[in-house]
Amino acid sequence: MDDTVRVLVADDEDDIRLLVSLAVRKAGGTVVAAVADGRQALAAARTELPDLLVLDVSMPGATGLEVCTALRADVATAGCRVLLLSAGASPDDVAAGLAAGADAYLPKPLAGLIAEVRSLTAVVRA
Amino acid sequence: MSTILERPAEQTLPRHSPVLQPAHRLFPVGLCVLALAGIAVLASRPAGTGMLFTGASVVLIAVVELTRRLRGQLAMAQALELQRRDLVSQGRTTAEELEVATRMMRARAQTMTSVIDAVTEQSIIGTDRDGLIRVWNPGAERMLGLPRADVVRARSITDFHAPEELDARADPESDGHAAARFAALVQVARDQGSDVRDWTYLTADGRRLTVAVAITLRTDDDGEQAGWNFVGTDMTEARAAERLKDQFVSLISHELRTPLSSILGYLELVMDDEEQPLTADQRQYLGTVERNAQRLLRLVGDLLFTAQVDAGRFTLQPADVDLVAVVRAAEDTARVTADARGVSVRVAAPDGELVVRGDALRLGQACDNLVSNAVKFTPAGGSVTLRLRDGWQDDAGTVTELPRAGTRRVALVSVSDTGMGIPTGEQGKLFTSFFRASTARRHAVPGVGLGLTITKAITTAHGGSLDVVSAEGAGTTFTITLPAG
């Protein structure tokens, strides 16, 4: 059985999207989709059913929080792991992310991104 | 209530007053008759000396007694006159005092009115207990667009408030009833004595103003509640500017953090690539890039933090914090830079723990700021000492090693350096945002002048204080004093 962790990446910043994709590969995961819009992320999640989604909070179409809430409300995607990335680093920002159903929240500048992705892929594999 | 003037005369005058004595007691008719009888006997020239003597004796006794009584009456009359003069004098004094008091009351009322009328930038609105407007100053006329005559005794204060704000605080069952809205408006002031918060005022021409309103209870001379005072300051533009500033800072923060994320993220990928390890030179160059990116990141964080403090949105995440660990961590953080500059860093901390209630991240930030500053301002060969101890502080701020009456336990973190010091005249400005001491500028010490502002804000938010002692050319000691429970 293929134990590669399937990851969806969504960020409207091209550089960050590529950076996260590289971090996912470095952590041993496979990027099944990399999109720049919240609506696209939700649509791709419903078709690809990834193990893990790495979502920027601030995106056009739908915010990462909205995508996360929608994923949790859909039986098909409720079990996906979600890592939120955001420029907001205040305790309120983090609390809002976790309240939306995220498994982890990483504020920019994304220190320890590879370690965080690696940790979540390990959880998925377990 | 009846007054002394309304009482019957016999109740207000002493019972022994001669004015009220029956006529027969004032005019001794019997004695007069007796004296006349005696005179008649003498005038009839009685033959016997006995009758003559008796008549003379009667006359004499009657005259003596009459004289005595007349003297008594005279003394009473004099006493009455004195009493009358005294009463007249007292009455005059009372009348004069009343006049003075009336004049003072009028002057005071005039002063109050003129002060209230002189306020044109704030609305001063007074109501009765039910919210009916009784006072409406020129500031209220200007702010809300209605003259006094149209409002006083005719309108309720709630007519000028956004109803949805009042209904949101009112009893849900009240269904927009005016009394319930007014009760909601003054509820906090009623419970706590006063209340200051933003409300939305509705002007006569339909504008909505954000007004900071101070609501206080007004009492009469007997201490009974007479009504309410509402003093309002139009904050519409100020609040809009604050919102813009918040949006700007948030935008800048986001726009700066995102490219920094790319820089630092890709650096991490390159520097940690085990398959293609870097040469020593490459690692050094990229280390410099990373260090400067981190510096920019700290600056962005400091700017955002300062904006949060200014906006009153700075909050702590309180927990038990071991200051020994905080101080040791600050030493570790500063070690590399200090070694590179040839500055030694020493720590004097107690064995075991020294726990305070606070935000570990922010207290660490405060200590890091002080140590980082000390290292920056100390020339090669100098030293920086971090000292942690506990003590007891009284209300005047004096700290002693042992507890005394009226003292409370505190923790003191001091950071001393042997650096260039701060000129005495500049020490009062040290905690102002973007202020840089002349010694910092003269010696080209890098920085933007936010570290001490932030450290002060963190210390204050913990209920503590930040003090400085410095001598130019000799060194500086900053001390954080925190409540230690």
Side-chain angles (χ1 to χ4, degrees), chain B residues 19 25 42 58 77-78 83 93 118 150 154 165 172 205 209 243 268 274 282 318 346 364 371 379 408 412 438 447:
Chain B
V19 174
R25 293 180 66 182
L42 290 174
V58 167
Q78 285 172 340
Q83 210 172 3
T93 306
D150 290 2
E165 286 182 353
D205 58 2
L209 305 177
R243 277 195 299 277
E268 186 183 352
E274 292 163 0
Q282 286 170 332
R346 303 178 191 132
V371 178
R408 59 190 181 282
L412 299 107
S438 57

Side-chain angles (χ1 to χ4, degrees), chain B residues 295-338:
Chain B
R295 188 173 154 192
L296 267 178
L297 189 65
R298 275 197 301 277
L299 179 59
V300 172
D302 285 354
L303 282 169
L304 187 63
F305 184 84
T306 309
Q308 284 173 338
V309 170
D310 287 348
R313 287 192 287 104
F314 164 44
T315 52
L316 298 176
Q317 303 294 308
D320 285 341
V321 181
D322 176 20
L323 287 179
V324 175
V326 170
V327 166
R328 297 272 179 212
E331 178 201 12
D332 282 346
T333 306
R335 178 73 63 195
V336 174
T337 313

Side-chain angles (χ1 to χ4, degrees), chain A residues 13-16 18-19 22-23 26 56 58 87 89-91 108-115, chain B residues 253-255 257-262 264-266 268-269 272-274 294 297 304 308 315 317:
Chain A
E13 287 279 338
D14 295 345
D15 291 341
I16 299 290
L18 177 59
L19 173 67
L22 291 170
K26 201 168 174 79
D56 184 23
S58 190
S90 74
K108 289 178 180 177
L110 311 182
L113 173 65
I114 298 169
Chain B
S253 169
H254 181 266
E255 291 306 310
R257 277 175 197 267
T258 299
L260 281 168
S261 298
S262 282
L264 289 164
Y266 282 100
E268 186 183 352
L269 282 177
D272 293 349
D273 191 343
E274 292 163 0
Q294 292 288 1
L297 189 65
L304 187 63
Q308 284 173 338
T315 52
Q317 303 294 308

Side-chain angles (χ1 to χ4, degrees), chain B residues 450-473:
Chain B
L450 285 176
L452 286 176
T453 310
I454 288 168
T455 305
K456 176 87 173 173
I458 292 170
T459 310
T460 304
H462 281 82
S465 59
L466 175 61
D467 301 295
V468 60
V469 176
S470 184
E472 198 170 354

